[in-house]
């Protein structure tokens, strides 16, 4: 894809390649700032990152300190067949995670002779934040190319998908060049207050207003009331309780439908937790919401994560109810 509003920028034909410095360690202040980055991977690459039983992604998170979330296997970036990975944490944690992920993918690409898979990283950047990367007359992106040695291109805005406000930033080059470019881009994005405050789910295109819920789950803040009721979602999805301490939501799920939420061996609930970033706890058998036969499902995390998890749970229940 061609750049929009930017000159065609490629790696300068240079004197012999010199060793490039590793990404600089952020200052103490930047370590405290939580931010995120999203990028595209194929379904096969996503499976490689998850690993058997989630072992690889667990190890990547442990080594880096960052949270790594993926869109589900049928949730693709609009206009592509690629899934989305979101890495969140401090700048240093994210860069460490990206280095580990790209090293893993590079190894897999080399083993499978996938030349394309080892040559680029495609970041998802909000359209409103692209100007900070481009700079006046392309000055910032040019400086990033010269500093990193990587090729950096920003795609035109996609007008074919209504509501899509993101653009793809493609980074090409060696692993070291890509990591340096990622650091420069993420550092610039982190200076954008709106960007850093808009941490979302890996797949915001699916987490929209749910007409069944009777409530806006598009990212707005919930009221502080203790109990709210909503229309029935499945035959017996009932009251929601909002706890005053921290972000926590309890919903009721009919006992006969809880299996669809949990899945065989806990597979469904683990996937929902992984994709949304929320923690999900289901009450024990026989532990019902008072006056009902609904099991308690408690969801905790950021409101964005809670919204995403609730939407996915509702989808599971609706699928069962529709049969």
């Amino acid at each position: 894809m061609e750049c929009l509003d930017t000159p065609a920028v490629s790696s300068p034909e240079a004197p012999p390649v010199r060793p490039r410095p590793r990404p600089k360690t952020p200052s103490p202040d930047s370590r405290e700032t939580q931010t995120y980055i999203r990028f595209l991977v194929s379904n096969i690459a996503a499976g490689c990152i998850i690993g058997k039983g989630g072992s690889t992604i667990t190890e990547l998170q442990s080594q880096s300190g960052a949270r790594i979330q993926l869109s589900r296997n049928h949730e693709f970036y609009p206009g592509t067949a690629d899934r989305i990975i979101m890495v969140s944490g401090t700048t240093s944690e994210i860069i460490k995670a990206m280095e580990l992920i790209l090293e893993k993918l590079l190894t897999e690409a080399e083993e499978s002779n996938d030349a394309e898979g080892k040559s680029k990283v495609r970041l998802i950047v909000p359209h409103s934040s692209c100007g900070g990367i481009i700079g006046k007359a392309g000055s910032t992106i040019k400086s990033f190319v010269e500093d990193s040695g990587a090729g950096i291109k920003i795609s035109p805005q996609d007008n074919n998908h209504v509501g899509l406000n993101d653009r793809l930033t493609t980074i090409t080059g060696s692993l070291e060049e890509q990591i340096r470019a990622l650091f420069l881009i993420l550092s610039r994005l982190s200076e954008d207050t709106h960007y850093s405050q808009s941490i979302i789910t890996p797949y915001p295109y699916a987490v929209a207003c749910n007409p069944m819920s009777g409530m806006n789950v598009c990212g707005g803040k919930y009221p502080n009331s203790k109990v709210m009721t909503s229309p029935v979602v499945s035959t017996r999805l009932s009251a929601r309780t909002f706890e005053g301490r921290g972000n926590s939501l309890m919903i009721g799920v009919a006992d006969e439908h809880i299996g669809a939420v949990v899945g065989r061996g806990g597979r469904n609930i683990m996937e929902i937790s992984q994709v949304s970033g929320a923690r999900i706890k289901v009450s024990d058998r026989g532990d019902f919401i008072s006056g009902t036969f609904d099991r308690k499902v408690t969801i905790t995390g950021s409101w964005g994560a809670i919204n995403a998890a609730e939407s996915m749970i509702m989808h599971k229940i609706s699928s069962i109810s529709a049969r």
Side-chain angles (χ1 to χ4, degrees):
M1 291 180 282
E2 296 181 355
C3 278
L4 181 67
D5 301 329
T6 63
V9 182
S10 59
S11 305
E13 292 186 10
V17 177
R18 64 184 184 280
R20 298 192 179 277
R22 307 300 289 174
K24 299 175 184 176
T25 302
S27 65
D29 286 342
S30 65
R31 284 197 192 99
E32 299 299 321
T33 302
Q34 296 291 311
T35 188
Y36 71 98
I37 203 164
R38 291 187 299 152
F39 64 104
L40 304 185
V41 293
S42 67
N43 232 342
I44 294 175
C48 170
I49 292 166
I50 294 170
K52 188 174 182 179
S55 59
T56 302
I57 196 170
T58 299
E59 182 64 19
L60 292 171
Q61 291 184 117
S62 176
Q63 290 181 23
S64 66
R67 176 179 287 276
I68 304 170
Q69 300 165 253
L70 290 89
S71 64
R72 290 179 290 182
N73 58 14
H74 61 277
E75 293 177 335
F76 303 131
Y77 182 79
T80 76
D82 295 311
R83 290 169 69 179
I84 300 169
I85 295 182
M86 184 171 84
V87 184
S88 55
T90 63
T91 297
S92 58
E93 289 170 343
I94 292 172
I95 292 301
K96 178 61 177 176
M98 290 299 296
E99 189 170 11
L100 294 170
I101 290 170
L102 295 182
E103 284 176 346
K104 177 75 174 173
L105 295 180
L106 178 61
T107 300
E108 293 294 324
E110 288 176 342
E111 291 177 355
S112 61
N113 292 320
D114 179 7
E116 183 177 352
K118 60 186 178 183
S119 64
K120 64 184 178 183
V121 178
R122 290 167 297 161
L123 301 181
I124 304 170
V125 179
H127 175 66
S128 59
S129 299
C130 287
I133 299 174
I134 296 169
K136 188 175 182 179
S139 58
T140 302
I141 194 172
K142 183 177 181 180
S143 71
F144 287 176
V145 166
E146 292 173 348
D147 186 322
S148 66
I152 305 173
K153 287 188 176 182
I154 299 178
S155 72
Q157 187 171 15
D158 187 346
N159 295 318
N160 295 323
H161 297 88
V162 177
L164 179 61
N165 296 313
D166 295 323
R167 293 163 69 178
L168 295 179
T169 297
T170 303
I171 304 172
T172 56
S174 68
L175 175 62
E176 185 179 48
E177 289 167 343
Q178 289 177 358
I179 291 296
R180 179 61 183 168
L182 282 167
F183 174 75
L184 294 169
I185 291 171
L186 180 58
S187 297
R188 180 54 59 94
L189 289 174
S190 297
E191 295 172 1
D192 181 344
T193 304
H194 176 74
Y195 177 86
S196 295
Q197 291 179 349
S198 64
I199 296 180
I200 47 181
T201 61
Y203 195 80
Y205 319 106
V207 181
C209 294
N210 189 323
M212 297 186 298
S213 71
M215 173 176 280
N216 182 351
V217 293
C218 295
K221 293 186 178 179
Y222 286 95
N224 292 323
S225 55
K226 293 292 182 181
V227 179
M228 297 186 69
T229 58
S230 65
V232 173
V233 175
S234 69
T235 53
R236 301 240 291 273
L237 184 60
S238 61
R240 306 164 178 204
T241 301
F242 296 84
E243 299 181 1
R245 298 184 301 275
N247 300 329
S248 184
L249 169 68
M250 187 179 74
I251 60 176
V253 176
D255 195 38
E256 65 265 29
H257 292 159
I258 204 70
V261 175
V262 175
R264 180 174 295 180
R267 180 182 303 172
N268 289 353
I269 202 166
M270 286 176 64
E271 180 186 34
I272 292 171
S273 181
Q274 175 64 53
V275 172
S276 68
R279 296 182 298 280
I280 305 170
K281 182 179 180 182
V282 177
S283 64
D284 296 332
R285 289 183 179 177
D287 184 5
F288 303 128
I289 292 176
S290 180
T292 75
F293 290 102
D294 295 346
R295 299 273 286 277
K296 304 171 186 175
V297 178
T298 304
I299 311 170
T300 57
S302 68
W303 285 126
I306 289 172
N307 291 340
E310 183 190 19
S311 178
M312 294 175 201
I313 289 170
M314 288 178 175
H315 179 74
K316 293 288 186 186
I317 296 170
S318 298
S319 298
I320 292 295
S321 300
R323 292 177 184 174

